[in-house]
Amino acid sequence: MDFFVDTANMDDIREIARWGILKGCTTNPTLLSRETGDYNKILQGICELVGGPVSAEVLSDDAEGMVSEAGELASLHDNIVIKVPMTAEGLRAASELAKRNIKTNVTLVFSANQALLAAAAGATYVSPFVGRLDDIGHDSEAVLSDIVEIFSVNEISTKVIAASIRSPMHVTQAALLGCDVATIPPAVFRKMLKHPLTDIGIDLFKKDWEKAGKQMVDAK
Ligand code: E4P
């Protein structure tokens, strides 16, 4: 499973990218609205930093408007993937963009049938929102599991991005179910990294080494 970062904040992206595990990024209007500066420049900067697919979302309600916005966004950088909403117009736009070889991410997916429709429209990615399903008491694991299995048995090439990730457990769940990608907020990445026993173990190794009178390796 690939890791994408779910943010538009350059400092956070820079930090996670330095770990050497990042394959892409997803943004949305809410995430971009939290940043200051020229949004197009921010998206270009993210593309340079990440070196992989970066989702940028359209805001039009109709397919024509979405396709026109998509053209502008796609011209910013080769790595831009166009996020369209899971609506009839969004499907029309995804289908048209597929014909133009522009990659799409159909977002705000909450059911297996929506994911099937997005795939049929030629979406490159579908993004089921697990956290928002959990928020309203639905079984996000069942929805994600159905989508992954349906895509597998039907040999559908559209990739599944587990989105709206709220905790490290969501990431484990997505990986166990065989999602292609998990798009993860920076705060959740930091939680995934940490374990108290790792810190305790590092301290202990250093103390034992020093107790034995050994010198630390000179890094110079
Ligand atoms: C996905 O592409 C979305 O940007 C994101 O995961 C939404 O997450 P939220 O439900 O925490 O806003």
Side-chain angles (χ1 to χ4, degrees):
M1 185 175 76
D2 285 344
F3 291 135
F4 288 6
V5 64
D6 194 30
T7 183
N9 183 274
M10 291 290 280
D11 291 337
D12 283 337
I13 296 170
R14 205 170 284 117
E15 176 193 336
I16 309 294
R18 276 168 58 88
W19 299 0
I21 49 91
L22 204 55
K23 292 281 170 57
C25 173
T26 51
T27 69
N28 63 39
T30 303
L31 294 171
L32 267 170
S33 72
R34 292 180 190 149
E35 306 305 317
T36 47
D38 181 309
Y39 296 136
N40 289 346
K41 287 212 172 74
I42 293 173
L43 286 168
Q44 283 170 324
I46 295 173
C47 286
E48 289 302 321
L49 209 52
V50 169
V54 174
S55 290
E57 192 157 344
V58 295
L59 284 162
S60 299
D61 292 326
D62 61 303
E64 289 73 20
M66 290 179 199
V67 170
S68 154
E69 276 185 70
E72 284 169 32
L73 288 167
S75 73
L76 294 176
H77 199 282
D78 285 348
N79 289 345
I80 291 282
V81 173
I82 306 301
K83 246 187 183 181
V84 297
M86 180 53 229
T87 59
E89 292 299 301
L91 290 180
R92 280 184 62 213
S95 164
E96 179 57 34
L97 293 170
K99 284 181 206 145
R100 300 182 189 191
N101 282 324
I102 294 177
K103 290 184 177 158
T104 55
N105 173 358
V106 175
T107 189
L108 294 165
V109 166
F110 294 96
S111 73
N113 281 332
Q114 286 183 321
L116 267 171
L117 288 172
T124 317
Y125 300 96
V126 288
S127 289
F129 276 34
V130 294
R132 293 194 198 187
L133 276 169
D134 289 348
D135 288 346
I136 58 161
H138 283 217
D139 185 350
S140 67
E141 188 172 1
V143 172
L144 209 49
S145 165
D146 281 353
I147 295 171
V148 171
E149 193 176 343
I150 287 167
F151 280 17
S152 168
V153 296
N154 289 278
E155 296 180 359
I156 290 170
S157 62
T158 301
K159 293 189 169 174
V160 180
I161 303 181
S164 186
I165 296 270
R166 302 274 167 77
S167 70
M169 277 308 294
H170 275 151
V171 181
T172 309
Q173 172 187 299
L176 280 169
L177 295 175
C179 290
D180 300 287
V181 178
T183 189
I184 305 170
V188 176
F189 265 120
R190 293 183 195 109
K191 285 182 190 164
M192 289 169 66
L193 181 70
K194 281 288 180 187
H195 195 289
L197 290 178
T198 305
D199 297 336
I200 290 168
I202 290 168
D203 271 357
L204 193 62
F205 286 149
K206 279 186 183 158
K207 278 181 192 139
D208 286 345
W209 191 253
E210 281 158 19
K211 236 188 285 170
K214 308 281 184 195
Q215 297 297 311
M216 300 301 286
V217 176
D218 189 351
K220 281 178 220 157

